[in-house]
């Protein structure tokens, strides 16, 4: 009996040792699994931290544009793209109230802006090209000792809000009217067309064409009113992810370009005067219409035909085909911009009051639409030509052209400005255009169709 009991105790002890070993092995395996899991989790956390550091600190500091020792970082470029998007959007939002909610009208005025907002890569590339030019402008300005101070940036911002430090701005000179000869040989009412069609540009900010209309004198505001309006603008930009630093950097770039333009104008001794011409223009869609007008001119004179075309409605039995325009004291460049080079050349070669032959102009391909433009046929008569002072807007355009003439060859030099490819895929898509601007507009009573919105989906996610 005692022997059997001893054997049972030995078995129990033996089983206990097995259990201990098994438990020990199980603990070892558990420890190894925990170590492996911890190692994996640690690696994942490390990868996440590295990604955060790269995306949040390293990548934004990488250069997207290089020129010598100067560079533009990814973050600076993204901030500028967001600012450009915000400018487009705020302008349309202001127009929404101005136009009484007429979406169709807003879409007509902002077709290019809407298209760019829906194509972030294209808009980003345009901003990239602009900033590449700004690097060269800054280098050329530095070579001439040209600087823009923070005080000058502040002053320009204040002027934009009509705040002049409590002092009234210097009034602009009053435009002097010039008596023009009248073409009216009959009592038909005539109106004078003096505007010049603006030149279409690829960059998000259009350049105004020359005009003889004097700008209104700005009404100065108080410091309190300025600060309130300025803060409202900053708050509006802040809601779109735009900081004041970005806003000031844009103003800085504008001022630096203007200062360089002024310096280049002095270096080139740019004249502030140019020969201007006044003329009457008849335009036709076909050679047959132009020949019909030529026969009428031989019979009754140019001015009578001009008046008949200008004054009578198209459905009048006495109406002639074509359109009539009057150009008042414009330069050859301005005339070419509106009517083409052949008309501009004739306007500055013909004798006064001499009627031209039919002038054929082939506009070619429209840069915006890519479509072939129809040939236009002109007959003109020059009524005046003299050297006159150029408008401020024209002088500004000429000065800015000097800047373009300086930096464009540098952009063409290999290695002068390097645009890297790491910007691709990182163009911001925010701020996002409100879908209301993409809706099909409600047709205006009396109109058959409305301008459709661009059929492109609005991006929803922000590209970092």
């Amino acid at each position: 009996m005692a022997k059997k009991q001893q054997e049972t105790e030995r078995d129990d002890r033996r089983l206990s040792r097995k259990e201990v070993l098994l438990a020990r092995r199980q603990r070892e395996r558990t420890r190894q699994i925990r170590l492996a899991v911890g190692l994996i989790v640690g690696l994942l956390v490390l990868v996440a931290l590295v990604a955060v550091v790269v995306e949040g600190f390293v990548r934004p500091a990488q250069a997207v544009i290089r020129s010598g020792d100067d560079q533009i970082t990814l973050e600076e470029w993204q901030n500028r793209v967001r600012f450009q998007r915000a400018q487009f959007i705020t302008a349309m939002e202001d127009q929404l109230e101005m136009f009484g909610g007429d979406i169709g009208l807003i879409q007509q005025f902002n077709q290019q802006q809407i298209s760019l907002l829906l194509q972030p890569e294209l808009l980003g590339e345009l901003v990239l090209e602009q900033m590449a030019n700004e690097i060269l402008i800054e280098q050329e300005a530095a070579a001439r000792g040209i600087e823009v101070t923070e005080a000058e940036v502040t002053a320009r911002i204040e002027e934009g809000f009509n705040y002049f430090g409590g002092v009234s701005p210097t009034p602009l000179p009053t435009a002097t009217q010039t008596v023009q000869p009248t073409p009216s040989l009959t009592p038909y009412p005539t109106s004078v067309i003096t505007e010049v069609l603006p030149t279409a540009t690829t960059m998000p900010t259009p350049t105004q064409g020359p005009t003889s209309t004097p700008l209104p004198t700005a009404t100065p505001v108080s410091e309190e009113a300025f600060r309130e309006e300025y803060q409202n603008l900053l708050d509006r930009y802040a809601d779109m992810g735009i900081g004041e630093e970005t806003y000031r950097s844009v103003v800085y770039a504008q001022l630096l370009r203007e200062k360089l333009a002024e310096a280049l104008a002095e270096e080139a001794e740019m004249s502030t005067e140019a020969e201007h011409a006044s003329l009457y223009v008849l335009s036709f869609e076909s050679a047959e219409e132009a020949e019909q007008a030529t026969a009428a001119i031989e019979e009754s004179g140019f001015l009578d035909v001009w008046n008949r075309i200008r004054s009578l409605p198209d459905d009048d039995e006495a109406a002639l085909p074509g359109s009539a325009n009057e150009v008042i004291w414009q330069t050859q460049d301005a005339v070419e911009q509106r009517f083409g080079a052949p008309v501009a050349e004739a306007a500055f070669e013909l004798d006064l009051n001499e009627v031209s032959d039919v002038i054929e102009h082939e506009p070619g391909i429209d840069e915006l639409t890519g479509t072939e433009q129809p040939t236009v046929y002109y007959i003109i008569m020059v009524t005046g030509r003299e050297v006159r002072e150029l408008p401020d807007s024209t002088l500004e355009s000429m000065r800015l052209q000097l800047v373009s003439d300086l930096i464009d060859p540098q952009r063409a030099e290999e290695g002068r400005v390097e645009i890297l490819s790491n910007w691709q895929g990182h163009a911001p898509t925010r701020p996002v255009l409100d879908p209301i601007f993409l809706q099909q507009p409600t047709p205006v009573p009396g109109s058959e169709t409305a301008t459709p919105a661009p059929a492109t989906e609005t991006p929803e996610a922000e590209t970092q």
Side-chain angles (χ1 to χ4, degrees):
M1 184 70 179
K3 183 179 180 181
K4 185 176 181 180
Q5 183 176 0
Q6 290 176 356
E7 291 177 351
T8 302
E9 290 177 355
R10 284 196 299 270
D11 292 340
D12 290 342
R13 287 196 299 272
R14 191 178 296 114
L15 290 173
S16 297
R17 286 196 296 271
K18 289 181 179 179
E19 290 175 353
V20 169
L21 292 173
L22 289 173
R24 185 180 299 169
R25 291 173 182 172
Q26 183 63 37
R27 287 196 299 271
E28 182 66 20
R29 282 195 291 267
T30 302
R31 187 178 70 85
Q32 292 175 352
I33 292 173
R34 288 177 177 173
L35 286 175
V37 171
L39 182 60
I40 293 173
V41 172
L43 288 174
L44 292 175
V45 171
L46 180 61
V47 170
L49 288 176
V50 170
V52 170
V53 171
V54 170
E55 294 297 330
F57 299 96
V58 177
R59 190 184 297 278
Q62 291 178 341
V64 293
I65 305 174
R66 286 200 190 101
S67 179
D69 296 331
D70 299 320
Q71 68 177 30
I72 299 292
T73 66
L74 179 69
E75 183 178 23
E76 292 171 334
W77 166 71
Q78 287 180 324
N79 287 338
R80 181 68 74 84
V81 175
R82 293 188 186 98
F83 178 80
Q84 186 62 73
R85 295 181 67 89
Q87 277 197 314
F88 288 160
I89 291 172
T90 54
M92 282 186 279
E93 289 175 348
D94 293 340
Q95 291 172 8
L96 186 63
E97 181 178 356
M98 184 187 307
F99 297 154
D102 190 337
I103 297 298
L105 192 57
I106 295 174
Q107 290 174 351
Q108 289 180 8
F109 276 102
N110 299 275
Q111 288 182 6
Q112 185 177 11
Q113 289 86 339
I114 293 174
S115 177
L116 288 173
L117 287 169
L118 298 178
Q119 300 179 77
E121 290 291 313
L122 177 57
L123 177 58
E125 186 176 5
L126 292 174
V127 173
L128 199 68
E129 292 291 333
Q130 180 179 344
M131 297 184 78
N133 290 340
E134 289 174 2
I135 279 188
L136 296 177
I137 289 173
E138 193 160 2
Q139 292 173 350
E140 291 292 341
R144 292 167 172 78
I146 300 172
E147 296 180 349
V148 173
T149 66
E150 288 297 316
E152 289 174 318
V153 173
T154 300
R156 172 58 63 87
I157 293 174
E158 292 174 348
E159 291 174 7
F161 287 86
N162 294 335
Y163 174 65
F164 303 92
V167 180
S168 297
T170 303
L172 295 173
T174 303
T176 303
Q177 292 185 346
T178 304
V179 177
Q180 300 294 332
T182 175
S184 299
L185 300 180
T186 55
Y188 301 141
T190 60
S191 57
V192 177
I193 295 179
T194 59
E195 72 273 12
V196 176
L197 297 178
T199 302
T201 59
T202 56
M203 205 52 215
T205 304
T207 303
Q208 293 182 348
T211 173
S212 59
T213 304
L215 297 174
T217 302
T219 302
V221 300
S222 65
E223 180 178 2
E224 181 180 359
F226 158 69
R227 295 192 180 281
E228 180 180 356
E229 289 297 322
Y230 183 51
Q231 189 59 51
N232 288 339
L233 177 65
L234 293 181
D235 292 343
R236 195 173 179 183
Y237 279 148
D239 292 340
M240 297 182 177
I242 313 298
E244 182 180 10
E245 182 180 354
T246 301
Y247 176 50
R248 292 181 67 89
S249 71
V250 173
V251 177
Y252 169 87
Q254 292 173 343
L255 281 171
L256 195 64
R257 178 186 287 267
E258 291 174 8
K259 281 193 169 186
L260 178 60
E262 292 173 358
L264 293 176
E266 292 181 3
E267 293 175 10
E269 298 181 352
M270 188 183 76
S271 175
T272 60
E273 297 179 334
E275 190 174 20
H276 290 61
S278 290
L279 59 147
Y280 302 117
V281 182
L282 295 173
S283 57
F284 309 93
E285 297 180 355
S286 68
E288 291 74 15
E289 291 181 352
E291 291 174 1
Q292 182 181 350
T294 299
I297 291 171
E298 293 176 353
E299 180 180 347
S300 60
F302 180 90
L303 296 181
D304 179 70
V305 173
W306 189 94
N307 271 282
R308 288 166 58 188
I309 294 177
R310 180 60 176 262
S311 304
L312 295 179
D314 294 338
D315 57 356
D316 193 292
E317 294 181 357
L320 291 169
S323 61
N325 294 281
E326 183 176 15
V327 177
I328 304 296
W329 297 126
Q330 297 294 336
T331 63
Q332 185 167 346
D333 287 342
V335 176
E336 180 177 345
Q337 178 183 339
R338 184 173 182 184
F339 299 105
V343 173
E345 293 173 2
F348 287 82
E349 292 177 357
L350 286 172
D351 293 334
L352 298 185
N353 301 316
E354 178 185 355
V355 180
S356 73
D357 297 327
V358 176
I359 303 172
E360 182 177 344
H361 174 52
E362 299 179 359
I365 303 296
D366 187 289
E367 294 181 358
L368 295 178
T369 63
T371 58
E372 183 76 23
Q373 299 182 82
T375 301
V376 185
Y377 301 85
Y378 295 102
I379 303 175
I380 69 171
M381 185 177 76
V382 180
T383 59
R385 209 163 36 230
E386 64 182 49
V387 175
R388 300 168 65 92
E389 284 287 334
L390 291 167
D392 290 340
S393 56
T394 301
L395 292 173
E396 181 181 1
S397 297
M398 292 171 61
R399 287 191 291 265
L400 293 178
Q401 185 60 48
L402 292 176
V403 176
S404 297
D405 294 341
L406 175 66
I407 65 175
D408 285 350
Q410 297 183 38
R411 288 295 309 275
E413 293 179 15
E414 184 176 357
R416 184 70 173 83
V417 178
E418 183 182 8
I419 297 181
L420 307 177
S421 60
N422 57 341
W423 67 273
Q424 297 176 356
H426 297 279
T429 60
R430 294 184 182 275
V432 177
L433 181 64
D434 193 316
I436 189 175
F437 295 105
L438 305 176
Q439 294 177 358
Q440 183 74 18
T442 303
V444 179
S447 64
E448 297 180 358
T449 60
T451 302
T456 308
E457 295 182 0
T458 303
E460 297 180 354
E462 164 74 0
T463 301
Q464 297 299 326

